[in-house]
């Protein structure tokens, strides 16, 4: 583990070979192989663009255990009742049939960086010339006192969409009249910075109609959060008196949960709660550690092509990457995937490599037809992905603007899922 | 347990804002000749009425037009396109009117205003000077609305003549297709497929100069070079999935 010989030599080899011999892998040994681990916004997009743009010149394999993928983005809208769970589900059929991606539904459990193959839980070895890791997030053990993954049925995280999201919604719907919904919000950095606060808004929306005397308690280790002014304005306007947000000044960073007793202790003050949504601290998906490209938390990458700083033939996308200024979002992963796919295709087939350009926009729904957005554009520097410019919705905007934001977010959802899955 | 004070304190302290975009920049430039504009209004009056007793016809009436939010007359059936532009912040001032009159579809994709466009800047300024007669406020004091004039969206012909590289456009289009669908389907984000290249280029430059309102598009267009815009136009005009 840690800094080993491969890390050091890998770095030197990048400098020597990237310009001198771009076709190194492509000649002689048949079609160059790209293996992608993880079929979310980063991995699915990368697989699709590699297959689409190389027109058969690359052999693309996507390894993803789920047959149906539930997008984490928009899953809060399912909680609020604006989307059905089915609306969030996507299959990999078109990537296989329409683009020729070899989709393997299995877990990647090992990476041999010297012999360049991926080991699957089923036992198979999948060789690669270039490997893309887009595993999303895992949770940091012990980050919320009293909680571990075995408690996720009593206190769901619902931060990987699917059964957890369904469970959380069922728990909210089963709350007794006047009950308490609690959230333990995560420390930075984490997937989808506005996500916990959009979730609070959607739970409030649900409770307002089904259980209007219920209360929402948020324990937050952070003094401020994404779109804070917009959310707090909206909470005041739409859900006045329902939401109690407790930042670190009041003990939001000193939390203990007890899943058996269903209690939450904030700074020693114990509260009995009916639902407790625990969103622990996060780190790169496990395979980043297995491949030894993680710094213990995230996988450092070069901004120009998302290649790992530990191995020139491994690229890391999306939430798992330590890249600089971009938030961990599906939009960002999708954006990074296209830069990465272009660079890998260039390296393996000699196609032209265009300069890296990234962008991100995150929409959040606060109430019915009250949508807000934040976004920025980014460039690659030698050190990191660096922010160039950005915008954010304003407080006090008129209803038409906010309604249009929501409509636009629906258009974006349709667009990005097509961009990922074809 | 429930403490409104905590929430209040946070509201007061923890606020951050990103970059805000200014609405209309003011340029104190004379409008055109309103008498010439009166004659030019013949082109409009098949659809629009203006002046005392003006009513909505095929198009909305044009009284009190300046400073008005687009698509804001109650009871008029507006297109989806102009309603979207209005939600994006489009207001009628001399600069936006000039862009709209030059080619309505550049400023508002999907508008029902079926007007071929008035290419001559002087003519547009004349017509705008005439329209200005029917709005509030004296037209000739600097603070009044119409002193906002043509904000230079009249594109240099050299920019329109640029030949884009469709392969580069193909790569750059990845930034567009996170929201816009290559099939041309519109589920809340408009189609950008199969536009005439000139229209595409004009629209992107209008975002770049912030004549066309939309924060995401102004951000995206703001960092595209003239060549990159031409390349995107070339790619999307002939897109094949």
């Amino acid at each position: 583990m840690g800094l080993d010989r491969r890390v050091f030599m890998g770095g030197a080899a990048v400098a020597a070979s990237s310009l001198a011999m771009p076709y190194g892998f492509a000649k002689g040994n048949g079609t160059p192989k790209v293996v992608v681990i993880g079929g979310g916004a980063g991995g699915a997009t990368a697989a699709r663009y590699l297959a689409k743009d190389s027109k058969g010149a690359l052999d693309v394999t996507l390894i993803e255990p789920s047959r149906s993928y539930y997008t984490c983005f928009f899953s809060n809208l399912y909680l609020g009742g604006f989307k059905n769970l089915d609306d969030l589900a996507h299959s990999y059929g078109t990537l296989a049939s329409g683009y020729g991606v070899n989709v393997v539904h299995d877990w990647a459990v090992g990476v041999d960086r010297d012999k360049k193959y991926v080991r699957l839980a089923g036992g198979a070895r999948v060789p690669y010339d270039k490997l893309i890791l887009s595993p999303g997030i895992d949770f940091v053990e012990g980050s919320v006192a009293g909680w571990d993954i075995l408690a996720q049925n009593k206190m769901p995280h619902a931060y990987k969409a699917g059964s957890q999201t369904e469970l959380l919604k069922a728990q909210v719907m089963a709350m007794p009249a006047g009950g308490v919904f609690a959230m333990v919000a995560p420390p930075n950095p984490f997937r989808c910075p506005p996500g916990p606060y959009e979730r609070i808004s959607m739970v409030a929306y649900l409770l307002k109609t089904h259980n209007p005397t219920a209360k929402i308690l948020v324990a937050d280790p952070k003094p401020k959060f994404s779109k804070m002014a917009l959310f707090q304005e909206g909470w005041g306007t739409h859900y006045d008196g329902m939401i109690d947000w407790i930042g670190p000044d009041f003990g939001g960073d000193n939390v203990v949960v007890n899943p058996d007793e269903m209690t939450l202790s904030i700074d020693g003050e114990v509260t009995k709660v009916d639902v407790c949504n625990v969103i622990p601290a996060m780190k790169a998906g496990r395979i980043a550690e297995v491949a030894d490209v993680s710094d213990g938390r995230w996988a450092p990458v070069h901004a120009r092509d998302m290649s790992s700083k530990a191995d020139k033939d491994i690229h890391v996308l999306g939430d798992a990457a330590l890249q600089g200024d971009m938030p961990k979002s599906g939009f960002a992963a999708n954006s990074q995937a296209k830069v990465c796919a272009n660079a890998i295709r260039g390296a393996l087939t000699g196609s032209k490599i265009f300069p890296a350009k990234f962008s991100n926009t995150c929409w959040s729904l606060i109430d019915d037809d009250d949508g807000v957005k934040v976004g920025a554009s980014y460039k690659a520097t030698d050190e990191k992905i660096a922010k160039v410019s950005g915008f954010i919705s304003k407080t006090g905007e008129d209803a038409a603007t906010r309604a249009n934001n929501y409509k636009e977010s629906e258009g974006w959802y349709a667009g990005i899922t097509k961009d990922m899955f074809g | 347990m429930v403490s409104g004070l905590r929430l209040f304190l946070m509201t007061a302290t923890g606020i951050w804002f990103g970059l805000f975009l200014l609405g209309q920049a003011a340029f104190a430039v004379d409008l055109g000749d309103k008498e010439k504009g009166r004659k030019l209004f013949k082109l409009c009056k098949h659809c629009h009425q203006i002046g005392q007793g003006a009513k909505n016809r095929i198009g909305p009436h044009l009284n009190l037009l300046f400073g008005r939010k687009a698509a804001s007359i109650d009871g008029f059936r507006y297109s989806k396109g102009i309603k979207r532009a209005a939600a994006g912040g489009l207001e009628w001032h001399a600069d936006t009117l000039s862009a709209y009159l030059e080619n309505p579809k550049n400023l508002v994709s999907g508008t029902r205003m079926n007007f071929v466009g008035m290419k001559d800047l002087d003519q547009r300024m004349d017509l705008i000077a005439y329209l200005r007669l029917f709005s509030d406020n004296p037209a000739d004091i600097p603070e009044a609305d119409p002193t906002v004039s043509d904000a230079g969206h009249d594109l240099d012909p050299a920019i329109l003549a640029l030949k884009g590289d469709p392969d580069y456009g193909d790569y750059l289009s990845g930034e567009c297709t996170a929201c816009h669908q290559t099939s041309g389907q519109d589920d809340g984000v408009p189609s950008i497929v199969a536009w005439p290249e000139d229209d595409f280029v004009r629209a992107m430059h209008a975002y770049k100069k912030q004549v066309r309102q939309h924060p995401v598009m102004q951000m995206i267009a703001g960092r595209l070079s003239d060549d990159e815009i031409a390349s995107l136009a070339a790619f999307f005009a002939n897109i094949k999935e």
Side-chain angles (χ1 to χ4, degrees), chain A residues 223 244-245 338 357 378 408, chain B residues 1 10 171 174 214 223 228:
Chain A
D244 186 17
W245 181 87
K338 294 170 207 175
K357 214 171 220 188
Y378 305 85
E408 187 177 277
Chain B
M1 180 191 70
M10 286 315 305
Y171 168 67
H214 193 279
R223 59 191 291 237
E228 288 174 334

Side-chain angles (χ1 to χ4, degrees), chain A residues 202-261:
Chain A
M202 290 296 95
V203 169
Y205 177 80
L206 203 59
L207 292 174
K208 195 172 156 181
T209 30
H210 293 278
N211 191 349
T213 56
K215 295 288 179 202
I216 296 175
L217 180 61
V218 188
D220 204 326
K222 306 179 294 298
K224 54 188 180 176
F225 55 81
S226 175
K227 301 177 186 164
M228 186 165 183
L230 295 164
F231 280 115
Q232 295 199 330
E233 178 192 51
W235 293 349
T237 311
H238 305 300
Y239 315 114
D240 194 24
M242 185 183 260
I243 301 166
D244 186 17
W245 181 87
I246 299 167
D249 289 353
F250 296 90
D253 57 347
N254 179 18
V255 165
V256 183
V257 298
N258 184 331
D260 293 325
E261 304 289 326

Side-chain angles (χ1 to χ4, degrees), chain A residues 99-340:
Chain A
Y99 298 90
V101 174
N102 178 21
V103 182
V104 177
H105 293 301
D106 200 345
W107 284 95
V109 293
V111 176
D112 187 319
R113 280 165 48 182
D114 294 325
K115 298 195 177 112
K116 295 177 79 168
Y117 66 81
V118 174
R119 202 156 43 79
L120 302 182
R125 292 177 175 191
V126 188
Y128 66 81
D129 293 303
K130 296 281 184 189
L131 174 63
I132 297 176
L133 304 181
S134 190
I137 50 112
D138 270 318
F139 300 119
V140 176
E141 271 177 52
S143 62
V144 176
W147 192 92
D148 65 25
I149 204 71
L150 298 175
Q152 70 168 9
N153 252 33
K154 285 176 178 151
M155 293 189 169
H157 54 79
Y159 233 65
K160 298 179 184 185
S163 52
Q164 276 278 303
T165 325
E166 230 174 328
L167 174 64
L168 184 64
K169 178 156 185 175
Q171 292 184 352
V172 174
M173 295 307 282
M175 276 169 62
V180 177
F181 173 97
M183 172 190 280
V184 178
N188 289 324
F190 62 99
R191 157 181 286 181
C192 189
Y197 312 99
E198 181 185 58
R199 176 172 295 173
I200 290 300
S201 309
M202 290 296 95
V203 169
Y205 177 80
L206 203 59
L207 292 174
K208 195 172 156 181
T209 30
H210 293 278
N211 191 349
T213 56
K215 295 288 179 202
I216 296 175
L217 180 61
V218 188
D220 204 326
K222 306 179 294 298
K224 54 188 180 176
F225 55 81
S226 175
K227 301 177 186 164
M228 186 165 183
L230 295 164
F231 280 115
Q232 295 199 330
E233 178 192 51
W235 293 349
T237 311
H238 305 300
Y239 315 114
D240 194 24
M242 185 183 260
I243 301 166
D244 186 17
W245 181 87
I246 299 167
D249 289 353
F250 296 90
D253 57 347
N254 179 18
V255 165
V256 183
V257 298
N258 184 331
D260 293 325
E261 304 289 326
M262 282 308 285
T263 57
L264 167 65
S265 155
I266 301 173
D267 235 6
E269 190 187 333
V270 178
T271 306
K272 183 99 177 84
V273 300
D274 298 290
V275 179
C276 193
N277 176 204
V278 175
I279 309 175
M282 296 172 205
K283 60 180 182 177
R286 169 98 181 112
I287 196 72
E289 281 172 42
V290 170
D292 200 14
V293 296
S294 163
D295 66 3
R297 191 89 188 265
W298 310 104
V301 294
H302 296 290
R304 62 174 184 271
D305 60 359
M306 303 303 290
S307 61
S308 164
K309 289 189 173 170
D311 187 326
K312 71 181 171 57
D313 293 324
I314 298 182
H315 297 244
V316 186
L317 301 177
D319 297 349
L322 181 69
Q323 35 71 16
D325 296 350
M326 292 188 90
K328 298 184 184 302
S329 74
F331 198 123
N334 168 268
S335 175
Q336 294 160 10
K338 294 170 207 175
V339 169
C340 173

Side-chain angles (χ1 to χ4, degrees), chain B residues 119-201:
Chain B
K119 301 301 168 207
D120 186 277
L121 174 61
D122 291 338
Q123 286 193 338
R124 295 201 299 275
M125 287 295 114
D126 293 343
L127 182 54
I128 289 165
Y130 175 70
L131 295 174
R132 183 63 189 82
L133 296 175
F134 303 92
S135 287
D136 278 343
N137 303 323
D140 49 357
I141 61 170
E143 292 77 15
D145 200 298
T147 50
V148 179
S149 184
D150 186 89
H153 50 266
D154 209 22
L155 270 187
D156 183 344
I159 289 177
L160 284 173
L162 283 174
K163 279 276 159 267
D165 169 3
D167 287 341
Y168 189 27
D170 189 356
Y171 168 67
L172 292 169
S173 73
E175 200 157 35
C176 316
T177 55
C179 300
H180 299 278
Q181 297 181 47
T182 49
S183 63
Q185 187 162 326
D186 174 355
D187 290 305
V189 173
S191 168
I192 54 170
V193 173
W195 284 32
E197 288 184 45
D198 271 13
D199 285 4
F200 192 100
V201 170

